[in-house]
Amino acid sequence: MNILRSAAVALLGSCLVASVASAAPEHDPVPKQSWSFDGLLGHYDLASAQRGFQVYEQVCSSCHGMRYVHFGDLTGLGLSRKDVMAIAASHKVPGEPGPDDKPVLRPATLDDPLPTPHVAPGAVVPPDQSDLAMVYPGGPDRIFALLTAYGDVPKGAHAPPGTFWNRYAASRAIAMPPPLRDDAVTYSDGTKATLEQEARDVTTFLAWASDPHLDDRHRTGVRAGLYLLFLAVLLVILKRRIWSNAHRNR
Ligand code: HEC
């Protein structure tokens, strides 16, 4: 009996320990942000997404690639085809092999994916950003939190060599150096480029890249909803007409 009881206590104890361990988050709880693309009727703030592409292109793309997004896709941000062709042409990508069998660099075209930069051997590989906003645990809220939360290591805490303290990174340390600062870019639409504005815009861009057809889907949803509502009203009217005769003839 005693053995049974101590076994039960041990089991309960280990369950408690396990649940406490799994409940303790490895990073700080992520504050909820309000995004243009939230909710059933959400749509992307394209001006913000365009600024975010500027941040991606001028800052993030020196380390992160986007292999599933093609230059031509950028027209979905509301940029003109001409502008997108100019953006593509400003990037050099490997083309046909030259006389020495090495690919000769050529300007990118609309059909090329956004380039993936080389990583030094042994370095931590930055994740591809094509669908990062979708697959990163915590999504856009956590990307925004991460980008805006770099700071000094608090007293008593420790970040391993080669990492930076960030309370929203797993185990609160990350190999990515703080990528943003005030005026890291000069926005072509004149918006003031504070660190927070850059973080918000690049997160909107990453959300767009990971799900560019959200707007279309929501528009189709609204149209289908209106159509069903129209049908329902029509059915009620028809039903009334048909049955009003039936009542009269009784
Ligand atoms: C100097 C190179 C560099 C730049 C510039 C850079 N990153 Fe990173 N990034 C990294 C590396 C390396 C990792 C992997 C970090 C790790 O696993 O510890 C990473 C990881 C990330 C992650 C995942 C974090 C996690 O918890 O695993 C996000 C999100 C991210 N980067 C966003 C961005 C954004 C947005 C920009 C541009 C504003 C950017 N990065 C610019 C190197 C960079």
Side-chain angles (χ1 to χ4, degrees), residues 55 59-60 62-64 124-127 129 132 136 142-143 146-147 169-170 174-177 179-180 202 206:
V55 177
V59 182
C60 320
S62 59
C63 298
H64 293 267
V124 182
V125 180
Q129 292 194 336
L132 194 62
Y136 187 50
R142 184 159 164 230
I143 295 180
L146 184 83
L147 292 172
I174 185 165
M176 169 166 73
L180 297 177
V202 80
L206 293 179

Side-chain angles (χ1 to χ4, degrees), residues 97-104:
D100 57 356
D101 257 6
K102 280 204 193 125
V104 178

Side-chain angles (χ1 to χ4, degrees), residues 23-63:
E26 46 185 7
H27 56 78
D28 282 12
V30 174
K32 177 95 197 72
Q33 301 293 325
S34 130
W35 300 104
S36 54
F37 48 85
D38 280 342
L40 258 186
L41 299 180
H43 59 90
Y44 294 112
D45 173 350
L46 288 185
S48 173
Q50 286 184 18
R51 287 193 299 271
F53 172 67
Q54 241 188 297
V55 177
Y56 170 77
E57 195 187 25
Q58 291 175 31
V59 182
C60 320
S61 75
S62 59
C63 298

Side-chain angles (χ1 to χ4, degrees), residues 79-164:
L79 296 169
S80 72
R81 204 179 145 83
K82 198 168 137 249
D83 285 350
V84 174
M85 282 166 88
I87 291 171
S90 70
H91 291 263
K92 299 281 175 286
V93 295
E96 297 292 314
D100 57 356
D101 257 6
K102 280 204 193 125
V104 178
L105 290 183
R106 60 164 174 83
T109 67
L110 297 189
D111 296 331
D112 285 308
L114 303 196
T116 299
H118 269 297
V119 177
V124 182
V125 180
D128 186 89
Q129 292 194 336
S130 311
D131 52 9
L132 194 62
M134 189 93 84
V135 300
Y136 187 50
D141 287 346
R142 184 159 164 230
I143 295 180
F144 176 82
L146 184 83
L147 292 172
T148 48
Y150 281 93
D152 295 334
V153 184
K155 276 207 180 64
H158 169 72
T163 67
F164 300 82

Side-chain angles (χ1 to χ4, degrees), residues 170-188:
S171 60
R172 299 192 172 85
I174 185 165
M176 169 166 73
L180 297 177
R181 55 179 168 76
D182 288 348
D183 298 316
V185 296
T186 306
Y187 282 133
S188 48

